[in-house]
Amino acid sequence: TAYGLKGHDLIEKIADFDALIVRSATKVTREVIEAAKNLKVIGRAGVGLDNIDLEAARERGIEVVNTPGATAISVAELTIGMMIACARNVVRGTLGIKSSLWEKKALKGIELFGKRAGIIGLGRIGREVAKRLKCLGMEVVYYDPLVSESDIARPLELDELLRTSDFITLHLPLTEKTRHMIGEREFEMMKEGVILVNCARGGIVDEEALYHALKSGKVRAAGLDVFEVEPLNRSKLIELNNVVLTPHIGAQTVEGQKRAGIEIARKVLEALKGR
Ligand code: NAD
């Protein structure tokens, strides 16, 4: 067993190993995979497989396993936190107090209760979000081309969801089809003062269009855990005071990481035994 291998170190040592387990930081490139003469399985403790060259793994017959469900509750809880932080100016209030401002009057928020929440992507995380929003007294609608009906939320066409939701939260993958799916046209359709949360993947939202929508007040506030380029750096979004920004921490909880760690160890062992 070896831990914490990266870059050249990983390429040098990987030849002897039957299994490789990574989270998101280690890049399993074609070079790594070609150097891995004995490798039978790659385990990713988490969801996204963007850090693994799947094509190279497939060519070598290396199985790739992940733990898609392990952190769904963690991401769903962050999403709810983002919605409330946006609706109630939690970050602006904190920053104000830190600079000796008591902005009580300026920080009048809105309630979630009785509002319409539009969920785009009703998969593992979207469903956990829907359940929680219902408990807060929201009307929950969703758009998902692969989920025609659901017992927790009502399906709507995308444009109608965009036009009528008070809160919109994204829980779909980033693909060629979904890149910039939320852009200038979509912001124009939205309700004045909508709150947008993206804890899915950067790139689904066109950040330039979002910046203008936030600046004009069309979007009241946005909660963003993911960005087109990470780490987020020198972005105009940082200048705005109606954003809540977190460094891709959706799955970063004690419980979520423990669940993902145990599940990936089990799946990797199963994959090795299966051979
Ligand atoms: P999932 O596969 O269970 O669900 C995704 C859903 O999106 C599916 O039901 C699918 O039909 C739907 N979908 C696909 N294309 C769509 C489209 N064009 N419009 C609407 N819906 C569409 O995935 P999940 O585990 O729920 O993860 C959802 C997202 O959250 C993914 O992008 C994932 O990478 C991301 N994620 C983020 C973090 C984080 O740290 N912030 C952690 C885990 C997952």
Side-chain angles (χ1 to χ4, degrees):
T1 318
Y3 294 101
L5 300 177
K6 283 213 165 64
H8 269 288
D9 222 15
L10 177 61
I11 293 169
E12 247 171 53
K13 303 226 168 84
I14 194 67
D16 300 335
F17 288 89
D18 299 293
L20 171 65
I21 296 182
V22 298
R23 288 193 191 263
S24 57
T26 311
K27 307 286 173 242
V28 188
T29 56
R30 177 171 286 275
E31 213 181 344
V32 172
I33 289 170
E34 279 169 2
K37 301 292 175 220
N38 285 314
L39 201 64
K40 294 165 186 73
V41 54
I42 300 169
R44 154 83 165 104
V47 187
L49 297 172
D50 350 13
N51 56 324
I52 298 170
D53 189 328
L54 295 175
E55 187 57 39
R58 201 174 305 124
E59 283 169 22
R60 296 271 325 277
I62 297 169
E63 196 171 341
V64 178
V65 291
N66 64 346
T67 60
T71 55
I73 290 174
S74 299
V75 182
E77 289 187 358
L78 179 68
T79 303
I80 307 295
M82 286 285 196
M83 288 171 76
I84 296 176
C86 285
R88 302 305 300 276
N89 303 297
V90 172
V91 172
R92 205 176 135 190
T94 306
L95 293 174
I97 289 180
K98 288 187 181 210
S99 23
S100 309
L101 289 173
W102 192 258
E103 296 185 288
K104 182 166 173 153
K105 281 220 171 72
L107 297 190
K108 185 181 277 175
I110 56 168
E111 290 183 345
L112 276 64
F113 179 79
K115 302 285 181 353
R116 177 176 284 189
I119 298 180
I120 306 184
L122 197 72
R124 281 170 289 251
I125 297 169
R127 274 199 304 270
E128 294 300 330
V129 170
K131 284 189 227 164
R132 285 157 180 77
L133 293 179
K134 273 186 94 172
C135 295
L136 292 170
M138 299 192 83
E139 185 211 348
V140 187
V141 299
Y142 75 95
Y143 167 71
D144 188 320
L146 296 185
V147 183
S148 57
E149 57 181 306
S150 158
D151 50 354
I152 25 182
R154 185 161 67 85
L156 275 189
E157 281 310 310
L158 179 61
D159 284 2
E160 200 186 344
L161 181 151
L162 295 172
R163 261 199 303 272
T164 61
S165 296
D166 303 293
F167 290 75
I168 296 174
T169 180
L170 310 178
H171 301 289
L172 67 164
L174 174 66
T175 62
E176 276 321 304
K177 262 177 108 178
T178 65
R179 181 175 298 280
H180 286 193
M181 176 176 168
I182 305 297
E184 203 179 315
R185 170 187 167 271
E186 289 70 29
F187 286 117
E188 258 166 41
M189 292 173 64
M190 289 178 195
K191 271 177 106 166
E192 194 72 28
V194 63
I195 285 175
L196 176 77
V197 173
N198 185 7
C199 289
R201 277 288 177 270
I204 299 173
V205 177
D206 175 348
E207 281 176 11
E208 181 70 24
L210 173 62
Y211 171 81
H212 292 292
L214 282 162
K215 187 120 182 134
S216 72
K218 177 76 193 236
V219 173
R220 180 187 184 95
L224 307 171
D225 186 45
V226 290
F227 305 92
E228 290 189 33
V229 178
E230 296 181 10
L232 183 69
N233 192 339
R234 273 188 259 140
S235 163
K236 288 192 286 186
L237 290 170
I238 297 171
E239 298 160 15
L240 300 170
N241 61 14
N242 51 347
V243 285
V244 179
L245 308 171
T246 51
H248 205 142
I249 56 169
Q252 285 286 71
T253 62
V254 172
E255 295 82 359
Q257 290 303 314
K258 187 171 173 189
R259 230 180 269 129
I262 292 171
E263 200 177 313
I264 202 63
R266 215 192 55 231
K267 283 194 164 173
V268 164
L269 286 174
E270 276 167 11
L272 288 174
K273 280 185 200 151
R275 279 165 184 271

